[in-house]
Amino acid sequence: MRFGVFGAGLIVSAGILAVQAVPGKAAGTDEDAEFGVLKVAEGVEETYYTCTACHSERIVAQQGLSRAHWDELMEWMVEEQGMNEIDEPDRTLILDYLSEHYNEDRPNFPRR
Ligand code: HEC
């Protein structure tokens, strides 16, 4: 029997893993965290919940595509990856969101 290790001071200090703020965004970090790295704007909620059913929102955020290309990607996601067809008006809302905030100039590319 090895009761000797009790009280030896093995304290797991999980509390040290503090939640980190989203870089480059000083304010509204609580809200930001709710949608991962996605920019909080109109359509973020629909985008986040639709697109994180299968993978991280980072896969979305790290892409920079034109509207037409996002449209194709959503078709591809339905045809090849088993995503359910997104009903309107959500599909357009998500497409608007993606092409505004994750276009080819990558204005919101995650830095971390
Ligand atoms: C039914 C599951 C599913 C849903 C829902 C889904 N995806 Fe995907 N997505 C996948 C899979 C699986 C892959 C990886 C495909 C591969 O790399 O072979 C992927 C990959 C991607 C990629 C990377 C493509 C590349 O060229 O590497 C992007 C961008 C993406 N998804 C965007 C989205 C967006 C935007 C949405 C929401 C509109 C979404 N996904 C919803 C399954 C899904």
Side-chain angles (χ1 to χ4, degrees):
M1 299 248 241
R2 304 172 141 232
F3 290 122
V5 291
F6 266 97
L10 277 175
I11 297 164
V12 180
S13 33
I16 289 173
L17 289 172
V19 177
Q20 290 182 21
V22 177
K25 308 252 160 62
T29 45
D30 278 357
E31 246 188 316
D32 286 351
E34 199 179 333
F35 303 113
V37 300
L38 292 185
K39 182 180 169 64
V40 176
E42 195 184 354
V44 67
E45 198 174 339
E46 289 76 5
T47 306
Y48 184 81
Y49 289 114
T50 305
C51 307
T52 60
C54 301
H55 51 64
S56 162
E57 83 287 358
R58 283 181 168 272
I59 260 189
V60 179
Q62 74 194 2
Q63 288 283 331
L65 302 174
S66 66
R67 188 183 177 92
H69 204 146
W70 274 120
D71 203 349
E72 279 172 30
L73 187 130
M74 274 158 77
E75 286 305 313
W76 176 74
M77 209 63 61
V78 170
E79 280 163 22
E80 304 291 336
Q81 313 303 336
M83 182 172 88
N84 290 331
E85 213 48 90
I86 306 167
D87 292 333
E88 294 297 355
D90 285 1
R91 193 179 193 283
T92 299
L93 191 62
I94 291 171
L95 199 51
D96 285 346
Y97 173 84
L98 290 171
S99 48
E100 179 161 356
H101 303 293
Y102 295 95
N103 211 309
E104 286 169 337
D105 54 350
R106 299 172 181 240
N108 298 297
F109 191 82
R111 301 275 164 217
R112 170 169 82 79

